[in-house]
Amino acid sequence: MTLRSPSAALHAATAAPAATHPAPACTLVILGAGGDLTHRLLVPALYDLACSKFLPEDFQIIGVSLKEQTTQGWVSSLQARLENSMRDRHAASSSATLNHSAWQWLSSRMHYLSLNFTDPSALKPLSALVAGRNVVFYLATPPRFFEPATNTLSQAGLLQEKTDQFRRVVIEKPFGTDLQSAQALNAHLLSILHENQIYRVDHFLGKETVQNLLALRFSNILFEPLWCKDYIDHIQITAAETLSVEGRGLFYDATGALRDMVPNHLFQILALVAMERPVSLNSEEIRNAKQAVFEAIRPITPDNMVRGQYQAGTCKGRAIPSYRDSQGVNPESVTETYAALRVDIETARWQGVPFYLRTGKALSRAVTEIVVQFKAPTNPLFHTSQGEPEAANRLVYNIRPDKGANLYFNVKNPGPETIVSEVTSEFRYEKSFGNTPNIGYETLLYDCLQGNATLFQRADNIEAAWRAVDGILQETETSNIEFYSAGSSGPISADTLLSRDGRKWASLNKDED
């Protein structure tokens, strides 16, 4: 199947109508329908799909949770949260007001069931509602329910497919907490489901800018010939947040930055940057290409890892208490809120090219970006006004918040002297395509309904990513942790990780770029 994104058609009321390809008739069953994921992400994304007519006419949503409430009560709570989120997402635009026609269409197809989805005998009402229909079960639950919920659905016969009827299960991250737990969860799922029924979500892949990486690389002859060790010095991938743990201390203290971000979000970006050109845009071809990257990662050693934890400081004018003083956090916690790694990929394309990954909370700037640092000319002909050799070219690809790319290159300064300066060519999504705010789950939900697994992880992808970091995960309880002030760029050792190789991080402070 090919990559199709409904994002460009979202909120297109002022543009020419877009051709749409509605998903097939089906029922979406949301387990954990009373939770934050459903209210904050899933239903707003479904509303966006309804606005752009990507949902089928014969569509049902069944919310399942233990909480006792009526369908009307559930729908009312969803509408209230949706209206609040729209004001934040669309600001002053006309789309900030609810499209009542689209919401009426969507909400009229909603039904709520209060039941225990870990008890097979309690699923009879659900079985009756989905009998004879295509069904997607979305586990919007904490990870501890993944196994019991799928086991119960299987025992109730709800996961059995027929020739003309599909049954799919969507599972959110975290998919395991290490290699062993990921393998165990995969083994359980594959004992009751076929791989093509399982859709493992990494919501980073729902971002339009992440999906665009394939197009950037493989549809531009400008980049692909240079995308190798002969021309690239190193690549940096950064996912930095200004937010602290923000009330999620209990969860975060048991997880940490390394587990939370590296083997999923950052490795997904890494795979798209480093993968070989796939034979086609078929989902299996793309996932095979990613798998080859994960399998080629050299085992990461403790000397190529930096762990940090934020202390009290000020970020964007806001006072942030120390991580150890956060609610739910052990006062003597050694959980990292910052992680930086050097990753080496042993392929012919990337031999000798280091990839530097970093992620952290309470940092000076919120940004997710890729910096492709090209090699400097071996024998420079030109110099800057300061007498230095011309700067090496670089491509900075911004996933958030700016959503675009900057290509830095050299030009001659005006005047009689032959000196050069670095300039930039800029691309921004909003300028080229207009502002189309979306949740980021629209494409994921649509593709899941369509049966397009391109943006979802396969069992071997998951396990290979965990395997690459498994060695250093064992070190996190005993290795040193370095403190950094909230609002800074992170621990000093992260700078040393690059400086020992004669390199440095791209600045987190935009005015220093």
Side-chain angles (χ1 to χ4, degrees):
M1 294 186 181
T2 57
L3 281 169
R4 290 181 190 164
S5 171
S7 300
L10 298 177
H11 311 290
T14 59
T20 59
H21 304 276
C26 63
T27 296
L28 175 65
V29 177
I30 304 175
L31 305 183
D36 181 67
L37 177 63
T38 302
H39 285 71
R40 182 170 55 88
L41 297 172
L42 298 185
V43 169
L46 289 167
Y47 164 79
D48 286 344
L49 290 173
C51 286
S52 52
K53 303 186 185 304
F54 275 95
L55 296 177
E57 187 62 33
D58 185 5
F59 184 62
Q60 297 177 3
I61 304 172
I62 301 175
V64 179
S65 181
L66 273 176
K67 183 179 179 181
E68 290 283 352
Q69 64 177 330
T70 64
T71 295
Q72 184 55 50
W74 182 55
V75 170
S76 295
S77 68
L78 294 172
Q79 180 176 344
R81 184 66 178 268
L82 175 62
E83 290 176 331
N84 287 335
S85 69
M86 288 181 65
R87 284 191 286 270
D88 294 335
R89 291 163 58 200
H90 301 272
S93 80
S94 60
S95 298
T97 58
L98 187 70
N99 181 328
H100 289 281
S101 176
W103 177 247
Q104 174 59 33
W105 184 95
L106 188 67
S107 61
S108 67
R109 287 161 170 75
M110 292 180 175
H111 187 81
Y112 182 83
L113 291 176
S114 175
L115 56 83
N116 181 0
F117 51 75
T118 63
D119 178 6
S121 64
L123 296 186
K124 291 181 180 178
L126 178 60
S127 298
L129 286 173
V130 301
R133 294 184 60 81
N134 294 322
V135 186
V136 173
F137 295 95
Y138 202 114
L139 272 60
T141 69
R144 67 179 183 275
F145 290 110
F146 292 169
E147 287 196 28
T150 50
N151 196 48
T152 301
L153 292 171
S154 177
Q155 291 175 14
L158 292 174
L159 299 182
Q160 295 178 358
E161 292 191 309
K162 298 180 181 179
T163 304
D164 59 346
Q165 181 186 103
F166 64 74
R167 297 292 167 96
R168 298 170 185 150
V169 174
V170 186
I171 295 181
E172 284 274 339
K173 72 171 275 286
F175 196 93
T177 57
D178 54 20
L179 176 60
Q180 185 177 1
S181 59
Q183 288 173 326
L185 182 53
N186 272 331
H188 166 75
L189 292 173
L190 292 171
S191 71
I192 58 177
L193 293 157
H194 297 294
E195 176 62 44
N196 63 8
Q197 292 179 270
I198 307 168
Y199 289 72
R200 301 170 186 85
V201 171
D202 186 325
H203 67 260
F204 256 45
L205 292 179
K207 297 180 183 297
E208 195 69 46
T209 41
V210 174
Q211 296 170 44
N212 182 54
L213 284 168
L214 285 178
L216 180 78
R217 284 193 56 192
F218 300 122
S219 69
N220 293 294
I221 196 68
L222 172 67
F223 295 121
E224 187 57 14
L226 306 180
W227 213 261
C228 64
K229 64 183 180 182
D230 295 333
Y231 299 101
I232 292 177
D233 178 78
H234 72 279
I235 293 177
Q236 301 177 22
I237 301 174
T238 297
E241 298 180 57
T242 55
L243 295 176
S244 61
V245 290
E246 306 291 322
R248 299 172 67 237
L250 191 62
F251 160 79
Y252 200 87
D253 207 38
T255 306
L258 187 60
R259 283 181 169 86
D260 188 42
M261 292 292 291
V262 175
N264 36 72
H265 297 336
L266 292 187
F267 271 19
Q268 286 300 310
I269 297 174
L270 173 70
L272 292 170
V273 171
M275 64 189 276
E276 295 300 318
R277 182 186 181 92
V279 176
S280 70
L281 292 181
N282 175 278
S283 62
E284 291 310 300
E285 295 292 350
I286 291 174
R287 298 199 290 185
N288 288 342
K290 288 183 178 182
Q291 181 68 10
V293 173
F294 296 143
E295 291 178 350
I297 294 175
R298 185 188 304 166
I300 303 168
T301 56
D303 62 312
N304 282 324
M305 172 184 69
V306 172
R307 298 170 63 243
Q309 186 185 99
Y310 68 82
Q311 293 184 310
T314 302
C315 188
K316 302 296 182 183
R318 183 169 60 101
I320 295 179
S322 169
Y323 172 74
R324 291 182 175 182
D325 291 332
S326 302
Q327 184 178 1
V329 173
N330 183 338
E332 298 180 353
S333 174
V334 292
T335 298
E336 75 283 350
T337 61
Y338 179 101
L341 309 169
R342 171 176 168 151
V343 176
D344 292 276
I345 300 174
E346 296 185 324
T347 63
R349 180 186 292 266
W350 297 115
Q351 194 74 40
V353 178
F355 289 75
Y356 299 103
L357 280 56
R358 61 175 168 173
T359 182
K361 289 188 172 294
L363 296 173
S364 58
R365 180 181 170 212
V367 62
T368 301
E369 70 179 12
I370 302 159
V371 177
V372 180
Q373 182 65 63
F374 292 95
K375 291 183 177 181
T378 304
N379 299 302
L381 291 174
F382 300 94
H383 291 78
T384 68
S385 58
Q386 288 77 37
E388 298 173 349
E390 67 260 37
N393 302 143
R394 60 191 165 117
L395 174 69
V396 179
Y397 187 82
N398 196 286
I399 294 171
R400 70 175 180 101
D402 293 336
K403 299 180 183 177
N406 284 50
L407 179 62
Y408 293 83
F409 58 99
N410 299 300
V411 299
K412 178 186 174 298
N413 286 17
E417 294 184 287
T418 308
I419 58 176
V420 296
S421 294
E422 185 181 71
V423 297
T424 180
S425 178
E426 179 183 90
F427 155 67
R428 289 292 174 265
Y429 258 85
E430 288 80 3
K431 291 181 180 179
S432 297
F433 302 110
N435 187 17
T436 57
N438 64 85
I439 293 295
Y441 270 69
E442 291 86 352
T443 301
L444 296 174
L445 283 167
Y446 175 73
D447 283 356
C448 186
L449 299 178
Q450 288 276 72
N452 183 352
T454 304
L455 301 179
F456 299 87
Q457 299 195 70
R458 231 168 34 194
D460 57 344
N461 295 166
I462 291 277
E463 293 178 18
W466 277 117
R467 189 173 290 111
V469 300
D470 195 52
I472 55 175
L473 285 178
Q474 311 306 318
E475 302 284 336
T476 55
E477 294 183 2
T478 57
S479 63
N480 293 330
I481 193 159
E482 183 178 340
F483 297 105
Y484 63 96
S485 298
S488 71
S489 296
I492 298 299
S493 295
D495 295 329
T496 305
L497 182 68
L498 271 71
S499 64
R500 72 185 188 189
D501 298 336
R503 302 177 175 100
K504 65 178 181 178
W505 290 109
S507 176
L508 281 182
N509 299 313
K510 195 171 183 180
D511 56 356
E512 295 178 10
D513 286 350

